[in-house]
């Protein structure tokens, strides 16, 4: 991976000393974290979508590939989509060779993020546990853990006793499905999601990238099969290269360019409880139910489960999923029963037909697509930005993202981790 | 202090309770908060971040401060609002988020460091060294954060779920809600009135309103009485409607009464119409040190004296920007609390309003600049109209910044409230279909307006459901003022002005966020955590938006509020789960021989929802391996039987079944004769294997299909899609019969002799009459219908015998009896698995949704003469690539070594790395027949590599085995044994 | 969400299983591979009215073509496949 350059000169450095000095000065010296830019009429590269992926793309374009004449166009406020409504989990415990190197690359970028950005996004490598409940599930995790190991990714297969020492509070004795052990990735964990958005925006902005909010793309200017720019609610903007990073809305934006995608938009709910003192110290995924959980630094239990299961652009779900998720919680760890759900919300997932993402050129010259993140989008943010920047800068796929082709469905080279086939709500 | 008279408490029923280790006494009808105030307890909690001392601030569910841990041991419930907790005998509450004690909290040092801990400080530091974040900084932050503690023990509570249906749901039983319920109820509609409080009346209980010449609370009681007489009307007290969902579905949480069995009941209410009468929330005011214990909402102060006869102080100041706040002075005075002054920044307050202050000093055009005191309020510093400052001693400061309609439920489906300049508050935007807002929630703030609006809304809702429209004349109500100015922040550099009391977000945090470029309301919320505490911004959101608008130089209405998310009232995780926990998390499916197998001492294993016999240990056997080996040998050498009822069974009828099967399966079905069975392979439309199994033709237009246990439901749905959607013109009927039939595999060289003895006489089992892959209907156990299939999964001569499910145990007993001379041996799924691996049949680990027929060596089953699901897309280059991994067998070179599933395959001599990863071991078993470990595996170009050696690497668990690649059939590759 | 099953009346979401878009029509067996790829993989994915397959799995078992607004979840129509809702094409 290319080494990101030194901090840009336009940036106000953050440090403990600076914090102390400002505290004594009434915190009056802090500058805006990013410039709220007005759009200019022409850029080298336009990124549609001011979420984590779009802003990370801009950051790596400017810091690694030296392309600074870039604008990120966000229809609302930056981070208003899935970047700000996910459950903050990062991990690279994937199964298939098309996925592992990419997510591991992402994990390595997470590990260096605060130094790269001079921004503490609270990367917390507290360990991700995937529980297994049968010999067959154990064997499947062994297959996965070995695939990870062959790619240089950390993983450990814990038996029941080792797991019990780590997380004694699970319902080992009384569970409907016995807990027999877990696949552990110690380097996995959580990251403060909003901070990722702000950190990338700050770093990109300091290198000259224009972060343009309240600027919705309403059309593409395409001439002879070649992209010339976009129409927006704030006027036309020209560029020879346009990258789309609007997961959740990819189908809608692609349709503006006349493209149909192997994607359905689905709602995935997440839940947070009132803050309680620390009780859950890892990320835990329940293999026999639809449930995963971690505890935020503020104390809220952050948890979720499966998709609601139907196409949706409404950022909210319904009660059956809430019940299903909470049943999983009570089956696995009945000590959380009295924690109260404080908020329930939904994010719109770009669900692809094989459950894996797309980072590729499109049939329209100069139009590039970063889409289909299903519910793996947050953990992918740094590598997605890096690989998309690489593609935009070089017109060739980044080595870790070479499998994420748009034509893989026509070629029969799906990357189907779950083996569910072309039915997005099952991935 | 408890007032000598008045209130709605039952002084005949004293209740003893404990808080922070001390005993107190209250009365039935008290909340924990009112009882504490009546006992003179002012300090009840510590704030989230600064650990500032805090007192009771409200009298309702919006309480930010008075959160306690309720109960002890496994019953401990953190973050419980004292203001909504009904007092009961023996109640025990503990302060939370303080150490070592509530009075002396060491974490209060955070308050002194507040400038350092400004909004977002953590993003700017703790970056070096990198590993210190997880090891040092984060644990410190985590420990300091959080509020109360979970018990750590399984929740012992009992939770219940209820589905309710009604014509009209009325949410809230204040004046508007009671009126709406009455109007709808009288019309005969099915009405549910849900009220969060344990008493009906809403503000009528806390205020001295006048209705129909009597008191508001008396009117509420009379309406409650009439509602009881209406057969179709149900009143749910202690029930908070927490969310609006699609299709007129409402989520509600009912708290069980004290002493009841059920702790809470989660209700899903489906209503054709809804009247939302959720009232309004009083807004606090923002000034320095506005969080001191003794500062309280004016409406709460009125509620404590009027409803609970509990004086929250001895000497009060009222600080209000609303006419309504002035009433507080009158109510407090009447209750015997001295009111020193009423301070109102407005200079144009009407004389009728100021008259409410009685003898108190009236300071219009003035403002409270600062609250004084530490753990209790000592006084206030007032800035007069002339700018002069003076101190007024008091121990209670009642604050009122006007009222905001309580609109959260109108916004759950995505609508956004809109600013109303006239009401100086956000008003409902578009409302969910079928929902109408009424009363104060709709900006009808006076009792008279609320009553009229409630009656109209109730009548309209009932009429919309087809009930007669009743026009009820609203009773007259006393005059009330309802006018206020929106917030001004009274700036004072010396103290912290709190917006969000629980999360300690101050006015200066909003300024800082703005300075740093966080200007969208959602950005400010996320950066400062404003409104993200347990009260979800009920108290803080209006003031926060007002300050932000001021900073942005915009009008408050231009930017709109942040999104309201359900649940409006927090719902325990256990309540959403209800009874579906522990062993009842998911249904358990028992096979028809389950009880019999239990008696035989079988060990069971989960297979999806099923519990299946894994093996049947005999006395003296050392481990499962010994039992399984015995079972396998019994089948290979004598006879055994196994319950295979979990296989999906689908009955198909009609003249077009053969055509239907032709399109579903990859192989030919048109020529299957009656009385014959055939193995079939089914693909998904994308060319990947979906499932396999046998289908038998029992009659000209009657077939029965079996699927794998794991895929039964999915295959049935797939077939129904094909039948109903793809080819509705085919005359086929189908039904799942999985649960109707007990199906038992009888296998081994002596299977025929055994089966012959158990079938009713007259059935010819000779190989000529009933050869391999024959199927027939007959009778068993003296006349019970039965089906016999000559199929084999074990590779031995095998039959599957099906009989009605109720006969499962009888069938097992009969087999044991007739098979006794052959030492018949029941076997479980473990032995079944061993034998299928010995025979190389693909199962779950190979049918993993990623393999093609070619991968599994089943390409010969792909007919070239017809269309079938999966044919065309299965031809894509990626799925026919000769480099794909295909099914092979593996034998360890050192026969004593054990193979493990999940190991990966690397060419001998190649390094163990991703670049050389050529496949993985899918299934393994110790083969009693061969006397060593065997495996099935998927290996790149495997079919061409028989005889080659591969390394099985297992870096996850350590160890490496060299194995020989072989054909995947280890036993009887020619299939002579199964033909007999 | 509540879906008006033409056979059973309005029933709660948890009784139904969702499949996906109902508009794609299964191509003829000899249609170009591209048509098959489009059928199996490409979707309009509209924000608005969406015709989609639901099965009343814990009810009558019928496959229903439901037209639903994906931005509001409002159900606009629901017809049974055997009642003529199906594309009815693609017989081999």
């Amino acid at each position: 991976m290319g080494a990101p350059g030194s901090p840009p000169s336009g940036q106000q450095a953050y440090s403990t000393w600076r914090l102390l000095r400002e505290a004594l000065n009434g915190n009056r010296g802090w500058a805006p974290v990013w410039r709220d830019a007005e759009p200019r009429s022409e850029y080298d590269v336009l990124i549609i979508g001011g979420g984590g992926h779009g802003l990370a793309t801009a950051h790596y374009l400017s810091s690694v590939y030296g392309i600074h004449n870039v604008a990120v166009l966000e229809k609302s406020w930056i981070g208003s989509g899935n970047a700000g409504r996910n459950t903050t989990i990062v991990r690279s415990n994937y199964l298939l060779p098309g996925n592992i190197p990419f997510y591991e690359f992402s994990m390595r970028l997470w590990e260096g993020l605060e130094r790269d950005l001079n921004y503490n996004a609270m990367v917390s490598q507290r360990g991700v546990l995937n529980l297994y409940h049968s010999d067959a599930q154990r064997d499947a995790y062994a297959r996965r853990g070995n695939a990870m190991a062959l790619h240089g990714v950390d993983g450990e297969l814990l038996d029941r006793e080792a797991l019990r020492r780590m997380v004694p509070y699970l319902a080992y004795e009384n569970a409907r499905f016995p807990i027999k052990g877990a696949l552990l990735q110690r380097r996995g964990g959580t990251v403060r999601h909003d901070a990722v958005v702000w950190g990338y925006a700050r770093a990109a902005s300091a290198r000259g990238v224009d972060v343009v909010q309240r600027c919705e793309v309403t059309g593409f200017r395409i001439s002879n099969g070649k992209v010339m720019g976009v129409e927006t609610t704030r006027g036309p903007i020209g560029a020879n290269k346009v990258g789309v990073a609007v997961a959740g809305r990819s189908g809608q934006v692609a349709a503006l360019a006349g493209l149909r995608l192997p994607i359905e938009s689905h709602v995935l709910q997440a839940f947070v409880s009132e803050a309680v003192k620390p009780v859950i110290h890892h990320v835990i995924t329940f293999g026999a139910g639809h449930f995963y959980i971690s505890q935020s630094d503020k104390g809220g239990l952050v948890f979720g489960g499966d998709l609601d299961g139907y196409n949706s652009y409404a950022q909210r779900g319904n009660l059956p999923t809430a019940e299903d998720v909470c049943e999983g919680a009570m089956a696995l760890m009945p000590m959380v029963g009295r924690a109260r759900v404080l908020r329930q919300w939904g994010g719109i997932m770009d669900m692809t037909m094989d459950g894996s993402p797309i980072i590729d050129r499109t049939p329209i010259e100069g139009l590039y697509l970063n889409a289909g993140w299903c519910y793996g989008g947050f953990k992918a943010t740094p590598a997605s930005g890096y690989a998309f920047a690489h593609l935009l800068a070089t017109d060739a796929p980044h080595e870790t993202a070479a499998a994420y082709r748009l034509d893989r469905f026509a070629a029969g080279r799906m990357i189907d981790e779950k083996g569910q086939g072309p039915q997005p709500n099952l991935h | 202090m408890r007032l000598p008279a008045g209130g709605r408490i039952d002084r005949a029923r004293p209740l003893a309770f404990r808080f922070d280790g001390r005993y107190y006494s209250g009365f039935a009808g008290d909340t924990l908060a009112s009882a504490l105030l009546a006992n003179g307890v002012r300090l009840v909690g510590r704030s989230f971040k600064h650990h500032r001392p805090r007192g009771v601030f409200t009298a309702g569910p919006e309480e930010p401060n008075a959160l306690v841990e309720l109960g002890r041991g496994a019953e401990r419930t953190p973050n419980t609002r004292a203001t909504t907790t009904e007092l009961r005998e023996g109640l025990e509450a503990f302060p939370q988020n303080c150490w070592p004690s509530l009075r002396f909290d060491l974490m209060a040092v955070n308050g002194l460091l507040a400038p350092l801990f400004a909004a977002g400080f953590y993003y700017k530091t703790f970056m070096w060294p990198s590993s210190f974040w997880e090891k040092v900084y984060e644990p410190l932050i985590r420990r300091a954060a959080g509020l109360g503690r979970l018990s750590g023990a399984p929740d012992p509570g009992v939770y219940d779920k209820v589905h309710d249906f009604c014509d009209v749901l009325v949410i809230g039983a204040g004046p508007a809600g009671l009126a709406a319920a009455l109007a709808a109820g009288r019309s005969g509609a099915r009405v549910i009135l849900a009220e969060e409080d344990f008493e009906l009346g809403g503000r009528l209980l806390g205020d001295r309103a006048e209705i129909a010449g009597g008191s508001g609370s008396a009117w509420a009681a009379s309406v409650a009485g009439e509602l009881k007489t209406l057969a179709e009307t149900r009143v749910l007290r202690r029930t908070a409607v927490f969310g609006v969902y699609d299709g007129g579905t409402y989520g509600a949480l009912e708290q069980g009464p004290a002493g009841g069995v059920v702790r809470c009941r989660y209700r899903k209410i489906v209503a054709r119409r809804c009247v939302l009468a959720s009232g309004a929330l009083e807004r606090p005011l923002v000034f320095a040190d506005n969080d001191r214990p003794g500062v309280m909402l004016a409406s709460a102060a009125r509620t404590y004296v009027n409803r609970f006869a509990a004086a929250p102080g001895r000497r009060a100041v009222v600080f209000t920007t609303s006419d309504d706040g002035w009433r507080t002075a009158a109510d407090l005075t009447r209750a015997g609390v001295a009111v020193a002054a009423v301070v109102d920044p407005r200079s144009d307050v009407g004389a009728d309003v100021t008259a409410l202050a009685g003898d108190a000093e009236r300071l219009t055009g003035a403002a409270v600049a600062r609250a004084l005191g530490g753990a209790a309020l000592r006084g206030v510093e007032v800035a007069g109209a002339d700018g002069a400052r003076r101190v007024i001693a008091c121990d209670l400061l009642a604050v009122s910044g006007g009222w905001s309609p309580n609109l959260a439920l109108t916004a759950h489906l995505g609508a956004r409230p809109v600013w109303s300049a006239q009401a100086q508050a956000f008003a409902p935007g578009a409302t969910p279909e079928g929902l109408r807002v009424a009363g104060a929630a709709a900006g009808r703030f006076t009792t008279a307006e609320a009553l009229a609006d409630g009656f109209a809304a109730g009548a309209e809702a009932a009429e919309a459901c087809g009930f007669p429209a009743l026009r009820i004349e609203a009773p007259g109500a006393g005059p009330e003022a309802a006018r206020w100015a929106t917030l001004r922040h009274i700036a004072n550099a010396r103290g912290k002005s709190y917006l969000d009391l629980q999360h300690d977000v101050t006015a200066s945090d909003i300024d800082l966020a703005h300075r740093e470029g966080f200007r969208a309301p959602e950005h400010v919320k996320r950066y400062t955590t404003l409104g993200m505490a347990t009260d979800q911004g009920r108290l803080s959101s209006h003031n926060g938006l007002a300050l932000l608008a001021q900073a942005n130089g915009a009008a408050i209405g231009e930017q709109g509020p942040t999104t309201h998310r359900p649940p409006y009232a927090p719902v325990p995780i256990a309540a959403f789960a209800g009874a579906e926990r522990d062993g009842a998390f998911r249904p358990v499916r028992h096979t028809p021989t389950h009880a019999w197998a239990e008696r035989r001492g079988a060990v069971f294993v989960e297979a999806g929802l099923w519990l299946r016999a894994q093996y049947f240990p005999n006395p003296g056997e050392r481990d499962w391996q010994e039992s399984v080996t015995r079972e396998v040998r019994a089948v290979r050498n004598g006879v055994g039987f196994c319950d295979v009822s979990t296989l999906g069974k689908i009955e198909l009828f009609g003249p077009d079944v053969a055509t239907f099967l032709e399109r579903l399966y990859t192989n030919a079905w048109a020529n299957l004769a009656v009385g014959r069975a055939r193995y079939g392979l089914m693909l998904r439309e994308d060319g990947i294997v979906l499932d396999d199994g046998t289908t038998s033709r029992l009659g000209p237009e009657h077939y029965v299909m079996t699927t794998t246990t794991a895929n039964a439901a999915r295959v049935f749905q797939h077939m129904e899609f094909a039948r109903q959607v793809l080819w509705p013109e085919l005359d086929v009927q189908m039904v799942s019969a999985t649960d109707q039939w007990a199906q038992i595999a009888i296998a081994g060289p002596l299977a025929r002799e055994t089966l012959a003895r158990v079938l009713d006489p007259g059935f010819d089992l000779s190989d000529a009459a009933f050869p391999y892959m024959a199927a027939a209907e007959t009778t068993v156990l003296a006349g019970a219908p039965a089906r016999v299939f000559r199929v084999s999964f074990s590779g031995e001569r095998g039959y599957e015998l099906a009989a009605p499910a109720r006969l499962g145990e009888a069938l097992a007993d009969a087999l044991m009896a007739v098979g006794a001379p052959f030492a018949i041996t029941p076997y479980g799924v473990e032995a079944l698995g061993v034998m299928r691996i010995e025979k190389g049949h693909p199962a779950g680990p190979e049918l993993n949704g990623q393999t093609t027929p070619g991968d599994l060596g089943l390409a010969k089953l792909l007919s070239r003469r017809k269309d079938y699901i999966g044919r065309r897309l299965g031809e894509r280059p990626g799925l026919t690539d000769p480099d794909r991994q295909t099914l092979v067998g593996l034998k360890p070179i050192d026969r004593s070594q054990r193979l493990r599933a999940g190991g990966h395959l690397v060419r001998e001599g190649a390094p163990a790395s991703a670049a050389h990863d050529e496949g993985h071991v899918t299934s393994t078993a110790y083969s009693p027949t061969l006397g060593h470990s065997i495996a099935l595996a998927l290996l790149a170009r495997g079919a061409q590599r028989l005889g080659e050696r591969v390394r099985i690497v297992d870096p996850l668990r350590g160890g490496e085995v060299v194995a020989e690649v072989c054909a995947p059939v280890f036993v009887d590759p020619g299939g002579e044994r199964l033909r007999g | 969400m509540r879906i008006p099953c033409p056979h059973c009346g309005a029933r709660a979401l948890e009784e139904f299983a969702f499949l996906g878009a109902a508009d794609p029509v299964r191509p003829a067996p000899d249609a170009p591979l591209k048509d098959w790829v489009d059928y199996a993989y490409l979707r309009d994915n509209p924000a608005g009215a969406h015709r989609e397959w639901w099965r009343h799995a814990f009810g009558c078992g019928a496959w229903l073509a439901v037209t639903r607004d994906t931005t509001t979840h409002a159900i606009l129509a629901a017809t049974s496949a055997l009642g003529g809702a199906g594309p009815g094409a693609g017989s081999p």
Side-chain angles (χ1 to χ4, degrees), chain B residues 174-182:
Chain B
L178 286 170
L182 194 61

mmCIF file with all atom_site columns, all heavy atoms in Angstrom, chain B residues 174-182:
data_model
loop_
_atom_site.group_PDB
_atom_site.id
_atom_site.type_symbol
_atom_site.label_atom_id
_atom_site.label_alt_id
_atom_site.label_comp_id
_atom_site.label_asym_id
_atom_site.label_entity_id
_atom_site.label_seq_id
_atom_site.pdbx_PDB_ins_code
_atom_site.Cartn_x
_atom_site.Cartn_y
_atom_site.Cartn_z
_atom_site.occupancy
_atom_site.B_iso_or_equiv
_atom_site.pdbx_formal_charge
_atom_site.auth_seq_id
_atom_site.auth_comp_id
_atom_site.auth_asym_id
_atom_site.auth_atom_id
_atom_site.pdbx_PDB_model_num
ATOM 1  N N   . GLY B 1 174 ? -55.164 12.876 28.952 1.00 0.00 ? 174 GLY B N   1
ATOM 2  C CA  . GLY B 1 174 ? -55.394 14.216 29.474 1.00 0.00 ? 174 GLY B CA  1
ATOM 3  C C   . GLY B 1 174 ? -56.763 14.670 29.013 1.00 0.00 ? 174 GLY B C   1
ATOM 4  O O   . GLY B 1 174 ? -57.566 13.858 28.548 1.00 0.00 ? 174 GLY B O   1
ATOM 5  N N   . PRO B 1 175 ? -57.044 15.964 29.117 1.00 0.00 ? 175 PRO B N   1
ATOM 6  C CA  . PRO B 1 175 ? -58.384 16.430 28.741 1.00 0.00 ? 175 PRO B CA  1
ATOM 7  C C   . PRO B 1 175 ? -58.768 16.058 27.314 1.00 0.00 ? 175 PRO B C   1
ATOM 8  O O   . PRO B 1 175 ? -59.876 15.565 27.074 1.00 0.00 ? 175 PRO B O   1
ATOM 9  C CB  . PRO B 1 175 ? -58.295 17.952 28.926 1.00 0.00 ? 175 PRO B CB  1
ATOM 10 C CG  . PRO B 1 175 ? -56.865 18.280 29.183 1.00 0.00 ? 175 PRO B CG  1
ATOM 11 C CD  . PRO B 1 175 ? -56.216 17.036 29.684 1.00 0.00 ? 175 PRO B CD  1
ATOM 12 N N   . ALA B 1 176 ? -57.860 16.228 26.359 1.00 0.00 ? 176 ALA B N   1
ATOM 13 C CA  . ALA B 1 176 ? -58.206 15.923 24.970 1.00 0.00 ? 176 ALA B CA  1
ATOM 14 C C   . ALA B 1 176 ? -58.400 14.429 24.767 1.00 0.00 ? 176 ALA B C   1
ATOM 15 O O   . ALA B 1 176 ? -59.336 13.984 24.093 1.00 0.00 ? 176 ALA B O   1
ATOM 16 C CB  . ALA B 1 176 ? -57.121 16.450 24.034 1.00 0.00 ? 176 ALA B CB  1
ATOM 17 N N   . GLY B 1 177 ? -57.513 13.620 25.347 1.00 0.00 ? 177 GLY B N   1
ATOM 18 C CA  . GLY B 1 177 ? -57.595 12.177 25.170 1.00 0.00 ? 177 GLY B CA  1
ATOM 19 C C   . GLY B 1 177 ? -58.842 11.598 25.815 1.00 0.00 ? 177 GLY B C   1
ATOM 20 O O   . GLY B 1 177 ? -59.523 10.739 25.239 1.00 0.00 ? 177 GLY B O   1
ATOM 21 N N   . LEU B 1 178 ? -59.163 12.064 27.011 1.00 0.00 ? 178 LEU B N   1
ATOM 22 C CA  . LEU B 1 178 ? -60.373 11.577 27.675 1.00 0.00 ? 178 LEU B CA  1
ATOM 23 C C   . LEU B 1 178 ? -61.603 11.943 26.849 1.00 0.00 ? 178 LEU B C   1
ATOM 24 O O   . LEU B 1 178 ? -62.516 11.137 26.672 1.00 0.00 ? 178 LEU B O   1
ATOM 25 C CB  . LEU B 1 178 ? -60.480 12.182 29.078 1.00 0.00 ? 178 LEU B CB  1
ATOM 26 C CG  . LEU B 1 178 ? -59.517 11.599 30.128 1.00 0.00 ? 178 LEU B CG  1
ATOM 27 C CD1 . LEU B 1 178 ? -59.537 12.442 31.395 1.00 0.00 ? 178 LEU B CD1 1
ATOM 28 C CD2 . LEU B 1 178 ? -59.881 10.139 30.452 1.00 0.00 ? 178 LEU B CD2 1
ATOM 29 N N   . ALA B 1 179 ? -61.612 13.167 26.342 1.00 0.00 ? 179 ALA B N   1
ATOM 30 C CA  . ALA B 1 179 ? -62.758 13.603 25.533 1.00 0.00 ? 179 ALA B CA  1
ATOM 31 C C   . ALA B 1 179 ? -62.866 12.760 24.268 1.00 0.00 ? 179 ALA B C   1
ATOM 32 O O   . ALA B 1 179 ? -63.953 12.330 23.874 1.00 0.00 ? 179 ALA B O   1
ATOM 33 C CB  . ALA B 1 179 ? -62.607 15.083 25.178 1.00 0.00 ? 179 ALA B CB  1
ATOM 34 N N   . ALA B 1 180 ? -61.735 12.478 23.625 1.00 0.00 ? 180 ALA B N   1
ATOM 35 C CA  . ALA B 1 180 ? -61.752 11.700 22.393 1.00 0.00 ? 180 ALA B CA  1
ATOM 36 C C   . ALA B 1 180 ? -62.230 10.281 22.657 1.00 0.00 ? 180 ALA B C   1
ATOM 37 O O   . ALA B 1 180 ? -63.034 9.729  21.908 1.00 0.00 ? 180 ALA B O   1
ATOM 38 C CB  . ALA B 1 180 ? -60.360 11.691 21.770 1.00 0.00 ? 180 ALA B CB  1
ATOM 39 N N   . ALA B 1 181 ? -61.725 9.679  23.735 1.00 0.00 ? 181 ALA B N   1
ATOM 40 C CA  . ALA B 1 181 ? -62.125 8.308  24.057 1.00 0.00 ? 181 ALA B CA  1
ATOM 41 C C   . ALA B 1 181 ? -63.612 8.245  24.359 1.00 0.00 ? 181 ALA B C   1
ATOM 42 O O   . ALA B 1 181 ? -64.307 7.304  23.960 1.00 0.00 ? 181 ALA B O   1
ATOM 43 C CB  . ALA B 1 181 ? -61.313 7.793  25.245 1.00 0.00 ? 181 ALA B CB  1
ATOM 44 N N   . LEU B 1 182 ? -64.086 9.272  25.039 1.00 0.00 ? 182 LEU B N   1
ATOM 45 C CA  . LEU B 1 182 ? -65.508 9.291  25.393 1.00 0.00 ? 182 LEU B CA  1
ATOM 46 C C   . LEU B 1 182 ? -66.365 9.412  24.132 1.00 0.00 ? 182 LEU B C   1
ATOM 47 O O   . LEU B 1 182 ? -67.343 8.684  23.953 1.00 0.00 ? 182 LEU B O   1
ATOM 48 C CB  . LEU B 1 182 ? -65.769 10.468 26.339 1.00 0.00 ? 182 LEU B CB  1
ATOM 49 C CG  . LEU B 1 182 ? -67.095 10.462 27.071 1.00 0.00 ? 182 LEU B CG  1
ATOM 50 C CD1 . LEU B 1 182 ? -67.211 9.227  27.958 1.00 0.00 ? 182 LEU B CD1 1
ATOM 51 C CD2 . LEU B 1 182 ? -67.219 11.732 27.938 1.00 0.00 ? 182 LEU B CD2 1
#
